[in-house]
Amino acid sequence: MKILVLNCGSSSVKFQLIQMEGEEVLAKGIVEKIGSSEAILTYTPKDKNKIVQTREVLNHDVAIGLVLNTLMHPKHGVLKDKSEIDGIGHRLVHGGEEFVQSELITEKVKEGVRRCIQFAPLHNPHNLKGIEVCEQLLPGVPQVGVFDTAFHHTLPPHAYMYALPMAMYRKHKIRRYGFHGTSHGYVARKAAEYVGKPFESLKIITCHLGNGSSITAIKNGQSVETSMGFTPLEGLVMGTRCGDIDPALVPYIAKLENLNLAQVDSLLNKNSGMLGLTETTNDFREIEMEAAKGSEQHKLALEIFCHRLRKYIGAYMAVLGGLDILVFTAGIGENSSTVRQLTLQGLECFGISLDAEKNARNELEISSGPVKILVVPTNEELAIARDTQNILLSLQQELDKSIPEEIISKELSKFSGDDRAELLAIWLQNPHIKLYELAEILQNKTQKKFSLPVLKKEMELLGLNEVSEEKKKQLAKIFK
Ligand code: ADP
């Protein structure tokens, strides 16, 4: 099974094509600066060199078209035809309280993602656009949405509620949602596998330290606390985000600097964090280099970053009532022995001790005390591809279910003339409609639930499975 993983942002589309047998990345890349005549395509097919091209890409339709054409390129491509793609997995940023797990994309799911735009106005519209473009360019290929917030749906109310007037939650659903969930879940499961104990029996803290950073406390396989909140601004110090500050600073800075709210928001999200503190860069490699050369300002920035992280680790140990595994992941977590060492100093009394040599070599296990400290590379794309595969396999299983003929006949007899007319009307509007979507819409219209095998049989009886591609296209134009 080949799964295309897409991460559609406002001006970029990241992609990976994964062969699920052997979990092999066939190709990966990114289209950046979408909306400009100088967009950049970076593409790396398996076992070949990276290709970088500049070209005009004015919108997401063109960007995803470019991704598909590149994957099918006669020389650099890894696919002969786009029909080889079995499924598409999308990274979706915000699922609000509606989505607690990955979902097969249907009209109903798209409506839900649309409702969540209010929480992530900079992300969800582009995620949704990616889904819609794929519907056009890859009709009939099932799509799955994997939500960044879903892993944190298990946070208890005392962890996700802010101490604001209750009406803020009731009216506007203002609460902590958490992000990076796919990564936290992936590395925590990997860590449990490594120590050879059931995920559900462990107390784990995962530190995802990249340009955006967050930390999560996981108990019995469930996220119980996480540092990002209603938006990704809360919590740790990040590349350009400030993380926790006194909220009273928002009006104070606005007044002093004569800024409007959008400008303060931008100051906190884009000009703060390590960039704001160092006044030069948010790249940890440079920050560490400058600190090593003696820059007090860069040294202080590192200390602030690590102090905040240490504070959270201590707090989360209290939340968990102990700790079995501490995991570091993402760009900084996986590569910066300095950050890990600075952060964990003085925590020996809690059973957290680093083996300095193993830490310096970025080894997988770097602890020398009772709490296992692990460096686990994250792989969000693989996690998305796995969820997509699992959902597609269970869909296939349902279709392949061998249902005795007499039960199928009994179910088919439930189809009234009106039901059949509804089915035809739905199909005529979209002859490329997937069976599971048809089932969902039909259920809404008729208030009757038909299983997929029964619906498939009914479609066969009506002869709809024999309609040519050309005719389907004509019909789609007429009835849309
Ligand atoms: P994101 O996916 O959030 O953009 P990444 O997980 O790729 O971020 O992490 C980016 C960060 O990782 C940057 O700050 C970068 O400087 C840091 N990083 C990458 N390699 C190293 C390294 N060898 N040492 C220290 N920091 C590193």
Side-chain angles (χ1 to χ4, degrees):
M1 185 184 277
K2 289 188 178 86
I3 305 284
L4 176 64
V5 178
L6 290 179
N7 181 352
C8 298
S10 59
S11 65
S12 72
V13 171
K14 267 195 208 163
F15 63 96
Q16 259 190 34
L17 183 70
I18 302 179
Q19 175 78 53
M20 295 314 289
E21 296 77 15
E23 299 191 331
E24 194 181 8
V25 178
L26 300 177
K28 62 180 177 181
I30 183 167
V31 185
E32 290 168 285
K33 291 195 183 176
I34 296 172
S36 87
S37 56
E38 295 198 334
I40 303 163
L41 164 73
T42 310
Y43 172 70
T44 315
K46 182 181 159 248
D47 299 331
K48 292 199 184 143
N49 290 336
K50 188 194 277 184
I51 295 164
V52 183
Q53 290 177 353
T54 305
R55 56 170 75 202
E56 182 174 272
V57 178
L58 292 183
N59 54 41
H60 283 73
D61 301 63
V62 179
I64 296 176
L66 175 62
V67 169
L68 294 177
N69 287 336
T70 308
L71 290 171
M72 292 186 296
H73 191 277
K75 196 162 158 216
H76 317 294
V78 292
L79 293 176
K80 287 208 168 58
D81 191 271
K82 57 187 181 183
S83 63
E84 289 171 51
I85 298 173
D86 297 293
I88 305 162
H90 290 268
R91 175 182 183 230
L92 304 181
V93 168
H94 216 304
E97 288 188 333
E98 291 189 43
F99 297 107
V100 300
Q101 60 188 21
S102 301
E103 295 280 354
L104 189 65
I105 301 288
T106 61
E107 281 305 317
K108 211 162 134 190
V109 170
K110 282 196 294 182
E111 276 166 31
V113 176
R114 221 167 272 132
R115 273 192 295 276
C116 293
I117 286 178
Q118 56 175 322
F119 303 128
L122 301 180
H123 295 101
N124 274 29
H126 308 290
N127 299 163
L128 207 51
K129 180 75 189 165
I131 293 172
E132 284 164 356
V133 173
C134 288
E135 283 172 352
Q136 297 297 319
L137 298 181
L138 295 161
V141 179
Q143 306 192 64
V144 167
V146 178
F147 297 88
D148 226 23
T149 46
F151 182 62
H152 302 301
H153 83 275
T154 45
L155 291 190
H158 58 253
Y160 73 64
M161 288 299 290
Y162 292 115
L164 292 168
M166 261 303 185
M168 294 297 108
Y169 174 67
R170 270 200 308 268
K171 279 190 349 207
H172 309 300
K173 291 277 173 247
I174 292 176
R175 49 160 282 183
R176 170 175 292 116
Y177 287 99
F179 298 88
H180 290 146
T182 311
S183 175
H184 287 292
Y186 175 83
V187 296
R189 282 188 189 90
K190 275 258 162 200
E193 253 172 53
Y194 175 77
V195 301
K197 291 195 178 146
F199 184 39
E200 294 72 21
S201 71
L202 292 163
K203 292 171 180 165
I204 306 177
I205 293 178
T206 46
C207 309
H208 177 110
L209 311 176
N211 248 325
S213 292
S214 65
I215 174 168
T216 294
I218 300 162
K219 194 173 192 174
N220 306 332
Q222 299 196 328
S223 168
V224 292
E225 245 305 0
T226 192
S227 59
M228 283 180 167
F230 180 73
T231 76
L233 183 58
E234 190 179 345
L236 301 177
V237 176
M238 307 182 211
T240 62
R241 298 189 191 117
C242 58
D244 298 336
I245 55 165
D246 182 343
L249 282 172
V250 173
Y252 190 72
I253 292 173
K255 195 168 169 208
L256 277 185
E257 293 279 320
N258 196 23
L259 300 175
N260 62 33
L261 284 182
Q263 288 167 322
V264 178
D265 187 67
S266 171
L267 178 143
L268 302 180
N269 272 292
K270 298 190 178 145
N271 303 325
S272 299
M274 300 305 276
L275 179 65
L277 287 169
T278 60
E279 298 182 295
T280 59
T281 179
N282 55 333
D283 188 323
F284 269 71
R285 282 161 292 203
E286 280 178 48
I287 297 170
E288 286 178 25
M289 231 148 55
E290 290 302 319
K293 278 197 262 170
S295 159
E296 289 301 326
Q297 190 165 351
H298 290 79
K299 235 191 268 180
L300 176 64
L302 272 178
E303 278 162 6
I304 295 170
F305 180 93
C306 296
H307 172 75
R308 178 84 54 90
L309 181 56
R310 188 184 316 121
K311 215 161 72 164
Y312 265 96
I313 291 172
Y316 284 10
M317 283 184 78
V319 167
L320 291 172
L323 183 62
D324 298 307
I325 314 176
L326 177 63
V327 182
F328 285 92
T329 193
I332 302 159
E334 291 166 30
N335 296 297
S336 176
S337 53
T338 308
V339 164
R340 293 190 299 256
Q341 186 262 322
L342 270 177
T343 301
L344 301 184
Q345 63 189 1
L347 296 184
E348 293 79 10
C349 54
F350 299 113
I352 297 177
S353 298
L354 266 183
D355 179 312
E357 284 174 16
K358 289 182 179 170
N359 182 45
R361 288 196 296 266
N362 292 329
E363 284 190 15
L364 198 160
E365 186 178 341
I366 56 175
S367 43
S368 63
V371 173
K372 289 255 183 277
I373 312 173
L374 304 181
V375 177
V376 181
T378 192
N379 192 340
E380 286 163 286
E381 288 80 7
L382 181 59
I384 292 171
R386 281 182 183 166
D387 270 17
T388 306
Q389 181 189 34
N390 287 340
I391 287 179
L392 298 192
L393 288 178
S394 54
L395 196 66
Q396 196 57 44
Q397 259 170 12
E398 197 190 333
L399 259 177
D400 293 345
K401 234 191 292 177
S402 65
I403 300 179
E405 273 306 316
E406 61 268 27
I407 296 195
I408 295 215
S409 311
K410 203 171 143 205
E411 287 279 309
L412 281 173
S413 67
K414 281 201 239 156
F415 261 100
S416 67
D418 285 4
D419 297 339
R420 216 161 269 133
E422 285 290 4
L423 186 152
L424 270 172
I426 299 164
W427 183 85
L428 281 169
Q429 278 174 37
N430 177 10
H432 291 106
I433 195 166
K434 292 162 203 119
L435 204 57
Y436 53 85
E437 285 205 85
L438 188 96
E440 184 186 276
I441 301 173
L442 193 63
Q443 188 181 349
N444 280 344
K445 301 240 179 200
T446 63
Q447 305 306 317
K448 291 185 195 166
K449 189 168 167 63
F450 298 103
S451 70
L452 293 186
V454 168
L455 208 51
K456 192 172 162 205
K457 187 80 184 171
E458 180 64 33
M459 302 282 283
E460 281 167 15
L461 290 174
L462 290 168
L464 297 178
N465 56 330
E466 288 163 23
V467 178
S468 68
E469 197 50 37
E470 202 178 328
K471 192 71 194 169
K472 281 185 185 173
K473 281 188 185 148
Q474 273 178 16
L475 290 170
K477 271 197 198 130
I478 299 170
F479 289 97
K480 189 101 189 149

